Amino acid sequence: MSAAVLIDPSDESVIREVPDTPVEEVDAAVARAVRAQRGWAALAPADRAQALRRFADAVDGAVEELARLEVRNSGHPIGSARWEAGHVRDVLEYSAGFPERLNGRQIPVAGGLDVTFHEPIGVVGIIVPWNFPMTIAAWGFGPALAAGNAVILKPAEWTPLTALRLAELALASGLPEGLLQVLPGPGAVVGERLVAHPDVRKIVFTGSTETGRKVMAGCARHVKQVTLELGGKSANVVFADADLEAAAASAPGAVFDNAGQDCCARSRILVERRALDRFLELLEPAVKAVSVGRPGEESTEMGPLVSVAHRDKVRGYLELGTPVAFQGTAPEGPGFWVPPTVLLPGSRADRVVTEEIFGPVVSVLPFDDEADAIALANDTVYGLAGSIWTRDLGRAIRVSRAVEAGNLSVNSHSSVRYSTPFGGMKQSGIGRELGPDAAVAFTETKNVFLSNG
Ligand code: NAD
């Protein structure tokens, strides 16, 4: 049987092998999920809520263990990994509120009573990338389970360890067998089978736009529901009237967090031309101060890239010859390191400006006025996130309405809270996760008319 050999990205040591799931086992897992889902959906809403709270408690008790697994498997700094494990718990706790709040509607009609129900979809396939293995999985499985579905989760080939542990915690907390199954293996085998299997009624896919297109085409063949969370090339727009010190101090975190392997990374910093020199002067010490090093150390802010293949891809962008403004540091020796790097491209059409690099590389570009800033921010096929720095409230409102992206923040860089909706416009995706409506996305609306005749 084939297997993935997992490598610690910070020192290149072998962690362990994880066997791939064969296609027949995917089919067997779907059959188990179909059975488990029927029983789960038949539970009283309060009982489903209680079961999810117990799962959240189990995750809470394992935060440190999950965080250490992510440090080893993905190279995330320990502080970030603890936040991620805690976020999984929070998503589950928030989701535990859904079963008792999935209210339908009563619609005034002639001749009787009309009501709607949010019925579960059935079995949901969740396919996730390697950059935030456990948080992105939880955005899918928390609300999907809450709405009465069963879930089959396919982790990315390089990073299955936290997902596998979460499935064990789910069982240990009392969730029924078959309700949340994790099937590691290649996208071309396990992922494609989930997309093609007629009993998997919805796919939530997070990953590259290229693969997302294939997944959407596969879902179309079965007229299967699909949510897509895809790539990004988000803008951090800094106007000359902004608090430049605050904007520059926070810009490194907005793009170098998780070594830039973040779909929301603000990887284009757009600065009003008259403030450009001052902004770069303030940005340089902030970039050089980013603490890049061993992910297990408490003081580390940025770790290595996830794999040698990905490190080489990111380095390829640095070899295109775009002028480098300045760089931070990175350890020597084994591990997949790239230092935080700030580029000053000569053209808005440079590949480093238009393509998602998914590494610790940011391009700084000047703009002339508000209209130019909006045009430049929108000059991308993506539309996931972005930030706007200004002291002018009217401008903050105008620009945040004009930028075509699903998640914007003004005078900050926040993108993800479990209680607010998250997702992309344009080629960054379709549908939304998280927030008050998260569970509705895992339901079918059924309308029932009861005649009074
Ligand atoms: P990827 O598209 O290569 O893989 C994502 C997942 O899809 C993996 O589990 C992979 O095994 C699986 N897969 C591959 N081929 C498949 C197929 N034919 N059918 C079904 N599944 C298949 O992406 P990646 O390199 O793992 O992740 C990086 C990308 O993810 C970046 O583009 C990033 O922006 C994006 N991303 C988006 C979000 C978001 O919420 N919008 C969040 C994180 C990452």
Side-chain angles (χ1 to χ4, degrees):
M1 200 201 284
S2 58
V5 180
L6 307 183
I7 307 285
D8 183 328
S10 70
D11 62 12
E12 303 182 36
S13 62
V14 173
I15 305 171
R16 59 177 261 212
E17 290 194 7
V18 173
D20 294 334
T21 312
V23 160
E24 314 78 63
E25 178 47 31
V26 178
D27 289 355
V30 174
R32 283 195 294 274
V34 167
R35 285 194 296 276
Q37 192 267 332
R38 287 196 197 112
W40 177 244
L43 284 183
D47 293 340
R48 260 189 279 138
Q50 186 60 24
L52 288 173
R53 280 187 206 105
R54 284 201 204 97
F55 185 13
D57 289 346
V59 173
D60 189 48
V63 162
E64 190 63 22
E65 181 200 352
L66 287 163
R68 293 280 164 197
L69 270 182
E70 208 65 276
V71 168
R72 189 92 207 280
N73 194 178
S74 307
H76 291 192
I78 182 66
S80 312
R82 278 192 199 112
W83 182 89
E84 289 160 30
H87 182 76
V88 174
R89 172 205 56 220
D90 295 345
V91 170
L92 283 167
E93 273 175 7
Y94 185 71
S95 298
F98 288 132
E100 295 174 283
R101 290 177 180 78
L102 270 171
N103 305 318
R105 301 165 90 177
Q106 181 268 312
I107 299 167
V109 291
L113 174 69
D114 194 283
V115 286
T116 65
F117 296 91
H118 291 298
E119 304 286 12
I121 297 173
V123 178
V124 175
I126 299 176
I127 302 172
V128 298
W130 46 259
N131 63 329
F132 287 107
M134 56 180 150
T135 53
I136 292 173
W139 300 353
F141 68 65
L145 293 174
N149 302 281
V151 169
I152 298 184
L153 168 64
K154 195 207 88 64
E157 289 86 325
W158 295 330
T159 57
L161 295 184
T162 46
L164 287 165
R165 185 69 190 118
L166 283 167
E168 290 171 0
L169 291 168
L171 264 186
S173 75
L175 282 193
E177 191 118 19
L179 193 69
L180 173 59
Q181 300 175 77
V182 174
L183 307 184
V189 180
V190 181
E192 284 192 15
R193 184 62 190 145
L194 290 176
V195 171
H197 199 299
D199 288 342
V200 177
R201 297 276 168 75
K202 172 165 182 157
I203 294 287
V204 178
F205 171 84
T206 305
S208 61
T209 297
E210 194 188 340
T211 313
R213 245 181 236 116
K214 279 193 215 156
V215 167
M216 193 174 179
C219 288
R221 274 196 285 281
H222 298 265
V223 195
K224 187 175 291 196
Q225 286 197 43
V226 61
T227 295
L228 300 175
E229 297 282 6
L230 309 176
K233 190 74 190 178
S234 298
N236 177 3
V237 186
V238 182
F239 287 94
D241 68 28
D243 179 342
L244 291 183
E245 280 77 10
S250 66
V255 60
F256 302 138
D257 186 49
N258 201 21
Q261 305 165 121
D262 182 341
C263 50
C264 294
R266 274 65 167 170
S267 53
R268 296 181 298 149
I269 305 180
L270 317 181
V271 187
E272 193 164 352
R273 201 177 295 277
R274 63 195 166 88
L276 182 64
D277 290 345
R278 177 67 186 139
F279 181 80
L280 286 171
E281 222 173 76
L282 292 165
L283 183 64
E284 182 165 358
V287 169
K288 292 190 167 158
V290 176
S291 154
V292 184
R294 300 284 147 211
E297 284 170 23
E298 299 287 339
S299 60
T300 294
E301 292 171 312
M302 189 184 117
L305 295 184
V306 72
S307 70
V308 66
H310 189 58
R311 193 268 317 270
D312 291 349
K313 182 179 163 215
V314 171
R315 273 194 185 160
Y317 282 99
L318 298 181
E319 285 156 11
L320 294 173
T322 312
V324 175
F326 37 84
Q327 283 185 301
T329 58
E332 303 281 326
F336 309 129
W337 304 99
V338 173
T341 302
V342 178
L343 301 176
L344 288 174
S347 151
R348 294 178 176 191
D350 280 3
R351 281 183 57 201
V352 294
V353 178
T354 60
E355 295 179 19
E356 184 185 44
I357 299 175
F358 224 54
V361 181
V362 66
S363 294
V364 178
L365 296 156
F367 65 83
D368 293 316
D369 55 22
E370 193 176 304
D372 190 33
I374 293 165
L376 185 52
N378 287 338
D379 186 16
T380 167
V381 296
Y382 298 113
L384 189 55
S387 303
I388 298 145
W389 289 82
T390 177
R391 285 192 171 100
D392 179 335
L393 180 59
R395 167 173 278 161
I397 296 168
R398 288 191 302 274
V399 178
S400 47
R401 295 303 301 271
V403 172
E404 298 162 336
N407 311 274
L408 294 170
S409 47
V410 174
N411 297 331
S412 88
H413 294 298
S414 76
S415 289
V416 174
R417 284 181 205 82
Y418 56 81
S419 55
T420 59
F422 177 81
M425 296 184 181
K426 294 154 74 179
Q427 292 188 28
S428 287
I430 293 179
R432 294 291 178 271
E433 298 188 278
L434 301 176
D437 302 324
V440 176
F442 292 98
T443 64
E444 295 273 18
T445 301
K446 180 184 284 171
N447 190 71
V448 177
F449 170 72
L450 298 108
S451 167
N452 62 7

